[in-house]
Amino acid sequence: MAPPTPLSTHLLQNAGLISLSLLSLPITTAILLASLASTTPPPPPTPAGGKKTVLISALAMSKGLTLARTFHAAGHRVIGLDFDAAHFAHTRVRSPGAFSRCLSAHYTVAAGSGYTAALVKIIKEEQVDLFIPVSGVATTVLDAEAREVIERETACRVLMPTPKSVAILHDKATFIEAVEKAGLTTPLTVTVESPDAALTFLESEKARGKRFIMKCLPLDDASRADMTLLPFPARADTLAWLEHPMRGISPKRPWIVQEFVAGREYCTHAVMVRGKLTAFVACPSLELLMHYTALPAHEALSKKMERWTVEMCKTLDGGAFTGQVSFDFLVREGEETLYPIECNPRTHTAVQLLAEDPQRLAGAYLALLDDAKGKEKDTKTQTDDSKHALNGANGAKAESTVYHAPPNTSAYFWLPHDLVTLLVLPLIKFATNVDPVALAPIKDFALHLCMFKDATFDAADPLPWWWMYQVYYPWMFVISLLEGRRWSRVNVSTTRVFESS
């Protein structure tokens, strides 16, 4: 949990964002009505291999909604699924994705012991061919466990890693161990279970001359954003930081100490089907990434990350790894060595960068259905349906069966996020300090407005965008005020609200 948000900040940020939503209501409603009146979605094409029914979860997240729109545009039947409570404060506000024109049906389920049984029931009723879990941090393990039951009790295939692979990749410490076993380079990393153990390592010969950051292994919003470099010049200051009650380093709450690599950060999104890469994209990254620009697939760095992904996945599930996987890398300035820092064995928001060719992106996922029973097959051969989907709607031969972001792929942003962070807040800072430097972010806002695409808005499917910013978030901010639940920041792309004390 993040450090306490002051009461004054708590009141102002919630009241301010609710007010901004109300002020923008006439404009967003006019855009909604104009889009509904002027845009008629084109009839979806008929897939070469027949229409499939695809179940996609987490449509409140941009990545879930993107996949739903992709499969609909590729001519398939899409069923949506969300948890029955929003991420923040467990408020029962309907998911924005539930209002998408792309859905044939939408369900809500409760997280917990009945989750898998609910999935099986929906899959049987809707005769689902493929389930794509767009897992969150807290539900990745749940979805991996559900895969085994679903594939045992139904004919549906699930594009999700096995529980064993998720256990390795989901945890930072076991992930780094797996990378080392694969013979790949890693930043110096150790797990500690006490402040004394952390201090002993930081003072060891192995750590001499290096700087480190620390992250809590259990999910913790505060440590996720903390980039404090250790050790401090004074030993007493280092020990005081380690012993702070907010960190609570213990056997029940272990931390990793990881070498700090000064350089550029990148993230990736990959689709793997039985050990074969079917889609890949890489892009520059940040700790809280809200602007996505694809690295050209032909660039050396992108190719290097792609090869690294394939090599790492070969070590999982006997080389037959299936699922969506995202690796985060640091590249030291002046070097080309990749330093993996974490893995997310689930859908990454960077999938947005692959959505400009729905046929090929859908085909990358549908490759799992080439052999519905999951038996071994010659990886050089594919069914006609898979070939058509991977090669594109026109059936032209592709250079590779791996789908990459097309050249000149649009960059993506979230307009309301930029409106607040790059326009409203700079104007407030300027008004209070009268410092022209405070206005510098407005240039970035203007650039994004002119050159980027909003990741949620689609003129042919505008209601999810309107609902998100006029109902979904405002309602959560109202609950925050009524219940006194404080938060430190919001990731608009994943609808995650970082709670604080």
Side-chain angles (χ1 to χ4, degrees):
M1 188 162 288
T5 299
L7 178 61
S8 58
T9 302
H10 164 68
L11 296 174
L12 285 172
Q13 65 187 15
N14 282 294
L17 290 170
I18 292 169
S19 299
L20 186 60
S21 177
L22 290 172
L23 287 171
S24 64
L25 181 60
I27 299 173
T28 59
T29 302
I31 294 172
L32 170 69
L33 295 176
S35 298
L36 291 173
S38 61
T39 307
T40 302
T46 301
K51 191 173 188 177
K52 307 298 183 184
T53 297
V54 183
L55 175 65
I56 299 172
S57 65
L59 299 193
M61 299 186 191
S62 294
K63 51 192 174 183
L65 183 60
T66 293
L67 286 175
R69 287 169 170 169
T70 293
F71 277 90
H72 175 76
H76 301 284
R77 179 171 176 261
V78 181
I79 310 298
L81 178 74
D82 281 289
F83 287 115
D84 59 3
H87 293 185
F88 178 66
H90 305 292
T91 53
R92 293 184 179 276
V93 56
R94 197 158 173 80
S95 164
F99 299 95
S100 174
R101 284 176 165 179
C102 300
L103 302 184
S104 296
H106 181 267
Y107 292 86
T108 58
V109 295
S113 59
Y115 175 65
T116 299
L119 287 177
V120 170
K121 184 174 183 291
I122 293 167
I123 287 167
K124 288 180 176 179
E125 289 180 354
E126 297 290 346
Q127 298 182 6
V128 174
D129 299 297
L130 176 65
F131 174 35
I132 303 174
V134 182
S135 309
V137 176
T139 60
T140 303
V141 174
L142 198 62
D143 284 323
E145 293 171 346
R147 169 190 165 173
E148 295 186 325
V149 178
I150 291 168
E151 295 194 341
R152 184 174 65 246
E153 297 186 8
T154 75
C156 177
R157 300 298 93 189
V158 183
L159 201 120
M160 185 74 197
T162 63
K164 181 180 178 181
S165 289
V166 165
I168 293 170
L169 301 175
H170 190 56
D171 181 272
K172 292 177 186 292
T174 56
F175 166 63
I176 293 296
E177 290 175 5
V179 175
E180 291 173 345
K181 287 180 181 178
L184 301 170
T185 304
T186 65
L188 180 57
T189 307
V190 299
T191 302
V192 297
E193 296 182 346
S194 70
D196 288 341
L199 186 62
T200 298
F201 170 76
L202 291 170
E203 293 179 338
S204 67
E205 185 65 29
K206 187 184 294 186
R208 187 181 300 277
K210 296 181 173 67
R211 305 298 298 280
F212 296 84
I213 59 173
M214 290 185 63
K215 301 291 181 183
C216 184
L217 286 176
L219 182 61
D220 179 85
D221 290 343
S223 73
R224 177 183 174 88
D226 192 341
M227 296 296 291
T228 300
L229 293 179
L230 299 169
F232 295 117
R235 185 177 192 271
D237 292 340
T238 302
L239 186 59
W241 190 93
L242 293 169
E243 292 180 336
H244 194 287
M246 187 178 73
R247 274 167 270 287
I249 306 172
S250 70
K252 292 184 177 180
R253 187 177 159 83
W255 288 54
I256 62 166
V257 187
Q258 189 168 75
E259 179 185 356
F260 174 71
V261 178
R264 296 159 292 158
E265 184 174 350
Y266 296 90
C267 62
T268 64
H269 174 78
V271 181
M272 299 288 300
V273 175
R274 290 186 287 277
K276 184 176 181 181
L277 183 68
T278 60
F280 181 85
V281 68
C283 63
S285 185
L286 292 170
E287 187 272 321
L288 184 64
L289 184 59
M290 295 304 302
H291 305 99
Y292 284 80
T293 305
L295 279 182
H298 61 80
E299 283 194 4
L301 186 56
S302 178
K303 288 182 176 180
K304 195 167 189 176
M305 285 186 275
E306 182 175 333
R307 289 194 299 269
W308 194 101
T309 297
V310 172
E311 288 302 310
M312 184 62 205
C313 289
K314 281 181 180 178
T315 68
L316 302 165
D317 294 333
F321 179 85
T322 291
Q324 300 173 91
V325 64
S326 165
F327 296 107
D328 289 354
F329 299 98
L330 285 170
V331 180
R332 201 189 302 272
E333 295 295 344
E335 294 184 9
E336 294 184 358
T337 302
L338 298 178
Y339 291 90
I341 54 175
E342 72 173 8
C343 173
N344 297 303
R346 51 187 169 269
T347 319
H348 195 284
T349 306
V351 71
Q352 186 84 43
L353 297 167
L354 294 169
E356 297 199 10
D357 189 336
Q359 291 284 351
R360 293 204 65 190
L361 180 55
Y365 287 86
L366 290 168
L368 183 60
L369 302 184
D370 285 351
D371 179 2
K373 295 182 179 179
K375 295 179 180 178
E376 293 296 325
K377 66 169 189 171
D378 182 356
T379 57
K380 292 183 179 180
T381 62
Q382 297 180 343
T383 63
D384 291 340
D385 181 34
S386 177
K387 283 182 178 178
H388 177 86
L390 286 169
N391 290 340
N394 59 5
K397 184 177 180 180
E399 295 180 1
S400 168
T401 55
V402 180
Y403 169 51
H404 300 97
N408 302 316
T409 292
S410 300
Y412 287 88
F413 79 133
W414 285 261
L415 175 57
H417 173 271
D418 277 20
L419 181 68
V420 173
T421 60
L422 300 182
L423 182 62
V424 175
L425 291 180
L427 288 174
I428 292 174
K429 289 179 181 178
F430 177 74
T432 54
N433 298 324
V434 195
D435 182 0
V437 176
L439 298 177
I442 296 178
K443 293 181 180 179
D444 290 331
F445 175 75
L447 175 66
H448 297 165
L449 192 62
C450 296
M451 304 296 292
F452 287 23
K453 278 187 179 181
D454 186 275
T456 306
F457 180 76
D458 183 342
D461 186 31
L463 195 49
W465 170 80
W466 182 91
W467 184 268
M468 175 170 282
Y469 301 115
Q470 300 303 158
V471 180
Y472 188 81
Y473 278 120
W475 180 246
M476 281 197 279
F477 298 142
V478 168
I479 294 298
S480 177
L481 286 174
L482 293 177
E483 298 185 358
R485 301 179 69 101
R486 304 185 191 185
W487 53 271
S488 58
R489 56 183 181 160
V490 177
N491 184 335
V492 179
S493 70
T494 63
T495 68
R496 185 176 175 193
V497 180
F498 293 78
E499 294 192 54
S500 65
S501 301

